[in-house]
Amino acid sequence: MKVVNLKQAILQAWKERWSDYQWAINMKKFFPKGATWDILNLADALLEQAMIGPSPNPLILSYLKYAISSQMVSYSSVLTAISKFDDFSRDLCVQALLDIMDMFCDRLSCHGKAEECIGLCRALLSALHWLLRCTAASAERLREGLEAGTPAAGEKQLAMCLQRLEKTLSSTKNRALLHIAKLEEASSWTAIEHSLLKLGEILANLSNPQLRSQAEQCGTLIRSIPMMLSVHAEQMNKTGFPTVHAVILLEGTMNLTGETQSLVEQLTMVKRMQHIPTPLFVLEIWKACFVGLIESPEGTEELKWTAFTFLKIPQVLVKLKKYSHGDKDFTEDVNCAFEFLLKLTPLLDKADQRCNCDCTNFLLQECGKQGLLSEASVNNLMAKRKADREHAPQQKSGENANIQPNIQLILRAEPTVTNILKTMDADHSKSPEGLLGVLGHMLSGKSLDLLLAAAAATGKLKSFARKFINLNEFTTYGSEESTKPASVRALLFDISFLMLCHVAQTYGSEVILSESRTGAEVPFFETWMQTCMPEEGKILNPDHPCFRPDSTKVESLVALLNNSSEMKLVQMKWHEACLSISAAILEILNAWENGVLAFESIQKITDNIKGKVCSLAVCAVAWLVAHVRMLGLDEREKSLQMIRQLAGPLFSENTLQFYNERVVIMNSILERMCADVLQQTATQIKFPSTGVDTMPYWNLLPPKRPIKEVLTDIFAKVLEKGWVDSRSIHIFDTLLHMGGVYWFCNNLIKELLKETRKEHALRAVELLYSIFCLDMQQVTLVLLGHILPGLLTDSSKWHSLMDPPGTALAKLAVWCALSSYSSHKGQASTRQKKRHREDIEDYISLFPLDDVQPSKLMRLLSSNEDDANILSSPTDRSMSSSLSASQLHTVNMRDPLNRVLANLFLLISSILGSRTAGPHTQFVQWFMEECVDCLEQGGRGSVLQFMPFTTVSELVKVSAMSSPKVVLAITDLSLPLGRQVAAKAIAAL
C-alpha cells in the first residue's frame, strides 16, 4: 500500500496492530531517507492521534515511546508537542503525557547543530510553562474536589505534576538550558513568572504540607534560574586579608589625592575576587588604617595618614554602602566590624598612644555622622572602648598633655579648607592685606600641612592649587604702585609660589596641572614647574631655552643683584625675574670661576636673591641642580657652594613679613630638589633642620647591593610577615622604578614559582597582587603578554607550573587581568602617571591586527609540528576559529591590553586543542576555573569576551570544566552566537 502521508501511516499501523519495532521498520520503508522525522513532525502527529479520545491510545503512545528510545525523534520535538496539549480536564491524557516526560526529562541531550540545541532550550521552556499550567489546573481541581468531598483523584495528579517539575528542575543542566532560553525569549519567561505567581496563590490554601513544600521548592528552583551565576560562597575560615591591607596602605602612603571612586572600585574588585565577607572586609580596612597611623613617620606623613583614616576612609565606606545591597545590612556589617576591632586592644592602645587621644572614639563619631552606624551602636561601642581604655597603659605624660591631637586638628582643618577656598574666590585687588593675613596664618607651625592633608583627603586639593595659581598669576606684575602695595604683592607672589612648590613635591605635580584647554594661556607657575622644576625621575637640560630668556632682562637682573644693597620690589615683574634668574646665576658663576667676582660679592648676591622673596632662591637652585648634573667631578665645587649659600637663612632686620615661616618651607623645597643630585655627587649640604624628617621614605635601598638581591630579600621578609608595610611599599616602588616593569614582574613571578607549600603560595599571590597595584596596567601587560606565553610555550619550563605554584600563578594572572580590564577605561592614577613609561616591546608588532598574518606568538606555537618540545597548532588560524565575543562587540583592538588578552586566549585555545598534554594544560584549566570563580557573569565587559567561541567545546572535554554552570560563565550570553555556543556545549554534556 502506498502511504500518502504520516497520518495515514499511523492509522494503518493502528488498524493492523503493528508492534512498536514493526511500526518503526515499516515507517522507514514508507519514508525514504532525506527528510528527518523532526521535519516531518512525527512526534506531533503521534501525539495528535494518541490524544483524540477521552483516554490516550496506548498503541500509538507505545510508538511514540519507541521513537523516543530509538532517537527517531528529538527531545525538543517531543517537548514542543506535549506543550501544545491544553485540555487539562482529561486526567488520563495528562497522566500519559507526564509519564512520557518522565522518560527523559532529567537526561536531556542534543548532539546536533547549535540551532537544534537552542531549539531544545526553547522547547524545555515551553514544557516548563506547560507543567506549571498543568500543576495549577490540578491544584484548582483538588481545591474543587475538597469542596465537593472527593479529593483523592486531584491530589494524585497534583503529586505527579510536582514530581515531574521537581525532576526537571533538579537537574543543573536543565536549569542552565532554561537560563539560555530565558535570554532567548524574555516574553515566555514573563509568562512563566505569571504562572508561578498564580500557582502560589492557589497552593497557599492547600492543606497537604508535603505537596505545599514540594511546590515551594520548585518555585525556589525556578526563581534561581536567572541568578545561576551570581552565587559565590564567602570565605568564612580566614580572618586576615593581606591584599585589602596592602591596598589601603599603598593608597594611604602614596595616593592620598587619588579619587575615592577608583579606590572603592579597586576594593570592591578585591572583595569579589577573594569572596571576603563584608564585616571582615571592613575590619581589614580599619586594621590597615591603624597600622598605617602607628607606622607613619612623624611630620607630613603622619598628618596624611590621619586625614586618610578620619576623612577619606569614611567617604570610601559611604560609597561602598551604595554598592552593597541593603543599607541596613551594611550598617550592621560596619557595627560587626567595629565589634571585632574592639577585640584588638593592643593595636588600638598603640594607636591611641601614637595619636595622643582615643582614636576609636573619633572614628566612631565620623562613622555616625556619615550614617554608617546608628546612634545606639556608636554609644554602645564607645562605652565598650572606654571601659577597655581604663586598663590601658598610662599614655599622657606631663609634656604632651597640652599638645592637641592631630586627629582633632585634621577634623577642624577640613571646614577651614572650605572657608579658605571661599576667601580665595574674592577679588584679590580689593583687600590684598586681608588675604596676606590669612596666608600668613596658614604658614605658621604645621597649619599648611594640616590644611593640605585635609584638602587632599577630601578631594579639594586640585581646586586649592588652582586658586593659588590664579593668585600667583595675579601678583606677577603690578603697575604704578607704591612701596607698601609692592611689598604685599611680593609676599603674595612668594607665599603662593612656595605653597605650590610644596604641594607639587608632597602630592605630585599632577595636582597642579590644569586640564589642557586649547588657546588658553598657561599660567606662569605651571610653565615653570613643567620645564624648570627638578622632580624624581625628571632630568632637566640646563641649556634648555626655558633657562635662556631675553638677554637684556638677564643683564638688568645681574646688575640689580650685584649693585644694589637689596632687592627692589616696586613694579617688579616677578615671573620674569624667576625665569631670568637661571641665566643670571650662570653669568655670576662664570664671573666667580674666572676671578671677576670675589666670594664676598657672591655672598652679597645670594643674600639679595633670598633676602626678600624666597621663590627666587628656589628658581636659582632648580637651575643649579640641573647644571651640577652636567659638570665633571672637579667642576662642581662652586655650584654646590652657591646652593649652600642660598639654602641658609638671612639674619637681617630688613626682611619682609613671615620671613622665618617662608624660609622653613623654602628649605624643605630645596632639600627635596637637591636630594637626587647630592646623592649622585656624594655631597652633603646641611639644610636648616625643622626637627622633622622632610623626606622619610628617601634613599631606602641599601648601598652596594644588587637590586635583584634587594628585591628577593624584601619579598621574602614580606612573605614571612604576611603583610606589606609602608616602608616595603616604598622599596618595591623604587625597585620597580629602577629595574623596569619586566624585570620587576619577572623576578617576582620567579619567586612565586619557587613556593612549594599551598598556604605560602596563596599568601604570595595575595601579596604580589597588592605589590603589582603600584602599576597594575603595565605589570598586567608584561605578565599576560610576555611572562605567561613564555612559560606556556616552552616545554622546559612546564615543570614550574605544577601545583601549588601553578595554581597560584593562574590565580594571580586572572586577578591582574580583571583589575586592569575593569579599570583601564578610567584614567591611570596619579601614582602611575609619575612613572616614566617604558614600552618593553611594541605590542602592535608582537600581536598584529590582521588575522591573515599569524602573530609572532602563533608562529612560535606552530613553527615545528614534529618537535614535541613546541606546542602544535595549525598556522592557518582561520577567522572562524578565533572569532570571539570581543570582535562582535567591536572592542578596540589597538588597545595593548585588549590585544594581549585576545592573544592569551588564542594561546589557551591552541593549548586545549593540541596533541600534547602536561602541566601547561592543567594551568589553563586552573586559569579558566579562576575566571569562572571571580566573574559575576561572562558577559560584555569581562575578560572572557576575548576567548574564541571554539574554546568552549574544547574546555568541556576537561572533566573539571564539564559543568553547565562553567559553560554559562565562560560564554557571552548577551550575544545570540554566545547563547548558541553555550546551548551546544551544555546540551552535549
Side-chain angles (χ1 to χ4, degrees):
M1 171 193 168
K2 189 183 175 204
V3 177
V4 180
N5 60 23
L6 209 51
K7 191 175 175 181
Q8 282 179 329
I10 295 166
L11 286 172
Q12 187 187 349
W14 174 66
K15 279 176 190 167
E16 296 177 14
R17 296 290 188 272
W18 294 344
S19 64
D20 46 16
Y21 68 90
Q22 207 179 352
W23 166 79
I25 293 166
N26 287 337
M27 288 295 278
K28 283 171 188 171
K29 283 180 190 168
F30 291 151
F31 296 93
K33 283 178 184 175
T36 64
W37 296 112
D38 277 2
I39 291 174
L40 294 168
N41 278 337
L42 176 61
D44 224 0
L46 284 167
L47 266 184
E48 195 184 325
Q49 292 304 312
M51 298 291 161
I52 286 172
S55 64
N57 183 321
L59 186 63
I60 297 180
L61 276 185
S62 74
Y63 298 160
L64 177 60
K65 287 175 182 173
Y66 186 88
I68 293 169
S69 304
S70 61
Q71 295 186 350
M72 279 174 74
V73 290
S74 67
Y75 294 133
S76 56
S77 66
V78 179
L79 289 171
T80 309
I82 290 174
S83 58
K84 286 178 184 172
F85 182 84
D86 57 1
D87 186 356
F88 299 118
S89 60
R90 290 193 276 165
D91 291 359
L92 295 170
C93 289
V94 169
Q95 284 168 23
L97 292 175
L98 289 170
D99 285 339
I100 288 171
M101 278 192 83
D102 210 26
M103 289 175 67
F104 58 83
C105 67
D106 57 344
R107 51 186 180 85
L108 294 174
S109 63
C110 173
H111 298 274
K113 293 176 181 169
E115 291 79 5
E116 292 168 32
C117 299
I118 285 283
L120 177 61
C121 297
R122 287 181 165 144
L124 184 58
L125 191 66
S126 306
L128 175 64
H129 192 204
W130 180 83
L131 269 174
L132 284 171
R133 281 162 47 223
C134 185
T135 311
S138 308
E140 194 69 55
R141 294 264 309 280
L142 173 60
R143 196 167 68 181
E144 287 165 8
L146 284 168
E147 287 165 9
T150 53
E155 199 163 283
K156 183 190 171 193
Q157 190 165 314
L158 178 60
M160 278 182 80
C161 288
L162 287 170
Q163 198 185 339
R164 301 306 177 276
L165 254 179
E166 197 171 11
K167 192 174 178 180
T168 306
L169 291 165
S170 56
S171 150
T172 313
K173 178 175 172 178
N174 285 359
R175 292 203 305 279
L177 293 171
L178 286 165
H179 185 90
I180 296 168
K182 170 195 170 289
L183 297 169
E184 279 285 320
E185 295 187 355
S187 57
S188 303
W189 185 257
T190 315
I192 281 177
E193 286 176 329
H194 284 313
S195 300
L196 198 57
L197 283 172
K198 188 181 167 190
L199 180 63
E201 286 164 16
I202 298 169
L203 292 174
N205 309 318
L206 198 65
S207 55
N208 186 329
Q210 190 185 348
L211 288 179
R212 200 166 61 225
S213 78
Q214 204 176 359
E216 281 167 8
Q217 204 175 342
C218 292
T220 309
L221 283 171
I222 292 173
R223 286 186 199 94
S224 74
I225 289 169
M227 320 289 285
M228 275 188 85
L229 296 172
S230 53
V231 184
H232 285 299
E234 290 187 329
Q235 290 195 44
M236 298 311 285
N237 54 338
K238 276 184 74 177
T239 51
F241 299 94
T243 312
V244 179
H245 191 100
V247 166
I248 291 290
L249 274 176
L250 187 116
E251 287 290 311
T253 311
M254 304 180 95
N255 200 21
L256 182 59
T257 53
E259 280 184 32
T260 315
Q261 186 58 32
S262 56
L263 174 56
V264 169
E265 282 167 12
Q266 192 180 9
L267 286 169
T268 311
M269 174 70 77
V270 172
K271 182 179 186 295
R272 196 179 84 201
M273 291 191 303
Q274 297 187 13
H275 313 308
I276 308 173
T278 310
L280 295 179
F281 174 64
V282 177
L283 171 67
E284 198 63 52
I285 292 175
W286 290 137
K287 271 163 60 179
C289 286
F290 279 113
V291 169
L293 269 175
I294 295 163
E295 280 188 341
S296 60
E298 214 179 316
T300 317
E301 290 300 314
E302 189 183 351
L303 296 179
K304 280 175 159 183
W305 260 108
T306 311
F308 181 74
T309 305
F310 294 91
L311 293 177
K312 189 167 186 174
I313 290 295
Q315 290 299 327
V316 167
L317 289 179
V318 168
K319 290 202 171 185
L320 281 170
K321 182 178 174 179
K322 287 176 188 164
Y323 272 70
S324 74
H325 307 295
D327 285 2
K328 192 164 179 286
D329 295 348
F330 193 78
T331 48
E332 279 169 19
D333 289 337
V334 173
N335 184 43
C336 185
F338 269 111
E339 292 278 5
F340 290 144
L341 184 67
L342 291 184
K343 292 189 173 80
L344 305 175
T345 316
L347 177 75
L348 300 184
D349 288 347
K350 189 109 169 103
D352 287 358
Q353 212 167 348
R354 174 70 206 267
C355 300
N356 191 25
C357 67
D358 182 351
C359 298
T360 321
N361 200 334
F362 283 111
L363 203 49
L364 288 167
Q365 283 176 17
E366 282 306 300
C367 289
K369 275 185 216 166
Q370 301 292 349
L372 295 165
L373 283 171
S374 66
E375 200 176 331
S377 301
V378 171
N379 295 334
N380 174 33
L381 293 163
M382 277 182 178
K384 282 185 181 175
R385 178 64 187 143
K386 191 179 177 186
D388 255 5
R389 270 172 65 86
E390 285 169 12
H391 308 294
Q394 269 317 102
Q395 294 152 13
K396 287 200 172 180
S397 60
E399 61 194 52
N400 66 359
N402 302 322
I403 300 171
Q404 273 196 311
N406 281 337
I407 300 173
Q408 254 179 330
L409 295 172
I410 278 285
L411 293 173
R412 234 181 272 158
E414 195 231 348
T416 315
V417 169
T418 316
N419 294 336
I420 289 172
L421 288 174
K422 283 179 189 164
T423 310
M424 298 287 290
D425 275 335
D427 186 350
H428 304 318
S429 57
K430 284 184 179 163
S431 59
E433 286 89 351
L435 184 60
L436 183 61
V438 173
L439 298 191
H441 186 67
M442 278 172 68
L443 295 180
S444 59
K446 54 183 178 185
S447 298
L448 180 61
D449 283 327
L450 272 168
L451 290 166
L452 293 179
T458 50
K460 292 176 187 154
L461 191 59
K462 210 164 174 68
S463 57
F464 204 80
R466 190 90 330 253
K467 303 272 192 278
F468 278 100
I469 284 179
N470 294 341
L471 173 65
N472 184 265
E473 194 68 9
F474 171 75
T475 52
T476 50
Y477 177 63
S479 57
E480 303 168 21
E481 57 185 355
S482 56
T483 315
K484 180 81 192 299
S487 64
V488 171
R489 184 170 66 83
L491 277 167
L492 288 174
F493 175 84
D494 200 38
I495 292 171
S496 57
F497 187 93
L498 293 171
M499 278 186 181
L500 288 165
C501 285
H502 184 62
V503 169
Q505 286 182 334
T506 314
Y507 294 100
S509 50
E510 292 74 25
V511 181
I512 307 286
L513 298 175
S514 55
E515 275 69 45
S516 51
R517 297 186 304 274
T518 47
E521 198 177 327
V522 181
F524 152 71
F525 185 82
E526 274 190 53
T527 312
W528 179 82
M529 186 187 72
Q530 283 177 293
T531 50
C532 311
M533 183 174 168
E535 279 182 286
E536 190 186 352
K538 180 164 126 187
I539 305 297
L540 298 172
N541 172 11
D543 299 324
H544 189 277
C546 71
F547 292 123
R548 296 278 168 274
D550 183 359
S551 55
T552 52
K553 288 173 185 169
V554 175
E555 282 164 23
S556 62
L557 183 61
V558 171
L560 182 69
L561 293 171
N562 193 22
N563 301 329
S564 58
S565 58
E566 62 179 47
M567 197 75 187
K568 79 158 191 161
L569 303 175
V570 178
Q571 291 188 358
M572 187 69 175
K573 294 181 180 176
W574 291 112
H575 61 301
E576 287 183 3
C578 286
L579 291 171
S580 306
I581 193 82
S582 48
I585 292 284
L586 178 61
E587 296 283 329
I588 293 159
L589 261 179
N590 287 338
W592 186 17
E593 280 168 354
N594 293 319
V596 177
L597 288 174
F599 181 61
E600 289 72 27
S601 309
I602 298 299
Q603 268 183 318
K604 181 191 156 191
I605 289 169
T606 51
D607 285 353
N608 266 342
I609 291 172
K610 66 189 177 184
K612 297 288 185 191
V613 289
C614 299
S615 35
L616 275 182
V618 173
C619 295
V621 172
W623 178 80
L624 281 164
V625 164
H627 180 64
V628 168
R629 277 182 195 276
M630 304 297 168
L631 298 176
L633 199 62
D634 51 343
E635 300 168 319
R636 293 173 180 158
E637 183 47 45
K638 285 191 164 54
S639 300
L640 291 168
Q641 209 169 342
M642 193 171 253
I643 293 177
R644 275 194 196 92
Q645 288 296 318
L646 289 164
L650 178 69
F651 301 104
S652 157
E653 299 292 313
N654 200 11
T655 53
L656 294 173
Q657 258 177 302
F658 312 117
Y659 185 67
N660 292 340
E661 290 88 344
R662 284 183 290 133
V663 165
V664 169
I665 297 178
M666 175 185 85
N667 279 318
S668 84
I669 292 167
L670 297 186
E671 189 174 350
R672 282 172 185 258
M673 270 188 184
C674 300
D676 259 347
V677 87
L678 295 181
Q679 186 187 24
Q680 287 160 10
T681 56
T683 314
Q684 279 194 326
I685 291 180
K686 189 83 180 119
F687 290 94
S689 172
T690 54
V692 172
D693 184 2
T694 47
M695 301 175 68
Y697 294 118
W698 169 254
N699 200 12
L700 292 173
L701 296 188
K704 296 181 183 170
R705 267 191 81 190
I707 56 172
K708 187 179 174 191
E709 233 176 76
V710 179
L711 182 68
T712 49
D713 199 30
I714 190 80
F715 182 65
K717 280 179 187 163
V718 160
L719 193 56
E720 192 184 339
K721 238 187 342 186
W723 54 281
V724 188
D725 56 288
S726 313
R727 192 170 178 278
S728 307
I729 286 175
H730 279 271
I731 294 176
F732 281 123
D733 193 48
T734 312
L735 290 168
L736 173 58
H737 212 92
M738 290 176 84
V741 184
Y742 180 81
W743 173 87
F744 184 78
C745 186
N746 193 29
N747 281 309
L748 285 174
I749 296 298
K750 281 178 186 170
E751 292 306 304
L752 171 64
L753 293 176
K754 286 178 192 171
E755 290 303 328
T756 51
R757 288 181 59 182
K758 194 173 180 179
E759 61 272 30
H760 281 189
L762 189 62
R763 187 195 293 174
V765 169
E766 293 181 327
L767 293 169
L768 277 176
Y769 171 80
S770 49
I771 292 163
F772 287 170
C773 284
L774 285 165
D775 198 348
M776 185 56 84
Q777 292 289 327
Q778 294 291 304
V779 167
T780 305
L781 288 176
V782 166
L783 178 60
L784 305 185
H786 295 265
I787 294 170
L788 277 190
L791 289 167
L792 291 171
T793 53
D794 183 351
S795 57
S796 65
K797 292 177 183 168
W798 287 350
H799 67 278
S800 64
L801 296 175
M802 305 281 269
D803 192 31
T807 329
L809 178 59
K811 194 181 274 289
L812 180 64
V814 172
W815 287 3
C816 289
L818 290 178
S819 299
S820 291
Y821 192 73
S822 69
S823 67
H824 91 300
K825 292 176 182 65
Q827 293 304 303
S829 78
T830 337
R831 188 178 65 246
Q832 291 165 6
K833 279 185 202 158
K834 281 183 204 168
R835 184 166 295 106
H836 169 66
R837 285 271 174 264
E838 89 242 49
D839 282 322
I840 300 93
E841 188 170 344
D842 179 8
Y843 285 95
I844 305 240
S845 72
L846 182 66
F847 310 129
L849 272 173
D850 55 331
D851 277 300
V852 185
Q853 175 210 359
S855 68
K856 189 188 292 186
L857 182 64
M858 297 321 293
R859 284 202 302 278
L860 172 73
L861 291 177
S862 55
S863 56
N864 191 341
E865 287 276 312
D866 304 315
D867 188 352
N869 292 333
I870 295 173
L871 277 174
S872 58
S873 155
T875 355
D876 55 336
R877 297 194 64 83
S878 65
M879 190 59 191
S880 59
S881 70
S882 64
L883 179 68
S884 67
S886 61
Q887 285 159 308
L888 298 177
H889 287 312
T890 60
V891 168
N892 172 21
M893 291 311 285
R894 293 197 172 276
D895 180 276
L897 182 62
N898 293 348
R899 185 180 291 277
V900 162
L901 284 166
N903 277 273
L904 179 66
F905 278 108
L906 270 177
L907 173 57
I908 283 173
S909 183
S910 162
I911 288 169
L912 287 168
S914 76
R915 295 193 296 265
T916 319
H920 64 303
T921 327
Q922 184 74 57
F923 176 86
V924 166
Q925 181 195 318
W926 291 324
F927 183 89
M928 295 308 293
E929 279 175 355
E930 190 59 34
C931 280
V932 172
D933 195 39
C934 290
L935 284 173
E936 291 297 305
Q937 190 198 325
R940 186 168 189 169
S942 89
V943 293
L944 285 173
Q945 65 177 319
F946 294 98
M947 181 182 70
F949 286 121
T950 48
T951 311
V952 179
S953 54
E954 295 290 345
L955 258 180
V956 290
K957 292 174 189 171
V958 181
S959 59
M961 303 297 281
S962 60
S963 92
K965 274 192 177 181
V966 168
V967 176
L968 288 182
I970 61 177
T971 41
D972 186 343
L973 300 175
S974 66
L975 293 168
L977 183 55
R979 293 196 287 273
Q980 285 179 18
V981 168
K984 191 168 194 281
I986 292 169
L989 288 175

